[in-house]
Structures are given as C-alpha cells and as structure tokens.
Amino acid sequence: MYKRILLAADGSEHSKRSAQHAIELALKFDSVVDLVYVVDGDTSKYDVLHHGNTIEREEARKKRVHPLDEMLEESGVSHNIHMLHGEPGSMIIDYSEELQSDLIVIGSRGLNSLQTMILGSVSHKVVKHAKCPVIVIK
C-alpha cells in the first residue's frame, strides 16, 4: 500500500514522534522511507551566524536529523536522507511528487489558530496541496 514514505523532519520532538510512526508503517508495508530536511531562510541565517564555515553548517544540519537516522537504522527500515533548500511546505510537496511518494508523514508544531493564521503552517500547507495521503502527527 505504502511503498515509499516521505518523512518530513526538522529535528524536533515532533519529528521524532513522526519518525516512530513512519517506522511502524514502513515495517508493516515493507516501505522505503525518504527522510527530508528542508533548510529555509531562517534556518540558513541561524546556521551562518552560529557556524562559520560551510562544513560546520552542514555538520550542524546533519546533527539535527541524526537521531532520526539512528531510529531508522535501528529499526532496519530502508531509508534515504535528503537535505533540501527552500520554503519547507513547497519543497516537501514538490519532492514528494518527484519521488512518487505514496504517503507523507509530518509532525505538527501545535500552533494555535492565531499563530497558524499569522505564521502559516508547513503541515497545513502540505495537507492542503499534496497529491498523496498525508498523516500529521500531533
């Protein structure tokens, strides 16, 4: 049913819960998980300010997804890691289409209605525009 699962991750606790759910589905359906981390403008600015050179920036980004990579490794689930640059919602949607994902698993940051209205929500955008099923993990 789900042969290719895109797991959208940002290294947060929400991502860890999403990863656990993606692992359970992948084991059940013998799926490949594509772990996707999107570097947006804010993340990029933070990384430049706190990590001087390109190598340090890349290492810091890898550290954010390392716990998720370990979870996938320990579970024995076949997986790939993809680092993308751009607006997270759009990149996740576009990349899921490129990979021909059967499912997207994404965490919710738990924004209230006002925060969502002002800040927008990556998970909301993905749910609204993705062409495959999306599971949002609270």
Side-chain angles (χ1 to χ4, degrees), residues 94-127:
D94 293 345
Y95 208 60
S96 72
E97 290 174 17
E98 184 178 322
L99 294 172
Q100 298 180 334
S101 300
D102 299 307
L103 175 70
I104 298 172
V105 178
I106 188 168
S108 168
R109 286 196 307 171
L111 300 177
N112 66 36
S113 339
L114 179 62
Q115 291 170 317
T116 300
M117 184 175 70
I118 294 169
L119 301 173
S121 165
V122 173
S123 58
H124 179 76
K125 183 173 186 171
V126 171
V127 166

Side-chain angles (χ1 to χ4, degrees), residues 22-109:
I23 288 167
E24 290 170 17
L25 289 169
L27 290 171
K28 182 175 183 174
F29 295 108
D30 193 29
S31 310
V32 172
V33 173
D34 290 293
L35 173 61
V36 174
Y37 177 80
V38 181
V39 179
D40 65 359
D42 291 338
T43 303
S44 187
K45 287 175 193 172
Y46 176 87
D47 288 348
V48 167
L49 290 173
H50 290 86
H51 308 287
N53 64 45
T54 305
I55 294 170
E56 288 177 7
R57 282 193 297 270
E58 289 304 313
E59 287 302 314
R61 291 171 184 163
K62 287 178 184 175
K63 273 186 178 179
R64 290 183 193 127
V65 297
H66 181 72
L68 307 177
D69 182 31
E70 280 186 333
M71 289 172 69
L72 289 159
E73 282 289 332
E74 289 172 7
S75 71
V77 169
S78 176
H79 67 285
N80 307 297
I81 299 175
H82 310 275
M83 297 277 190
L84 309 176
H85 296 267
E87 192 278 314
S90 299
M91 293 302 296
I92 291 165
I93 294 163
D94 293 345
Y95 208 60
S96 72
E97 290 174 17
E98 184 178 322
L99 294 172
Q100 298 180 334
S101 300
D102 299 307
L103 175 70
I104 298 172
V105 178
I106 188 168
S108 168
R109 286 196 307 171

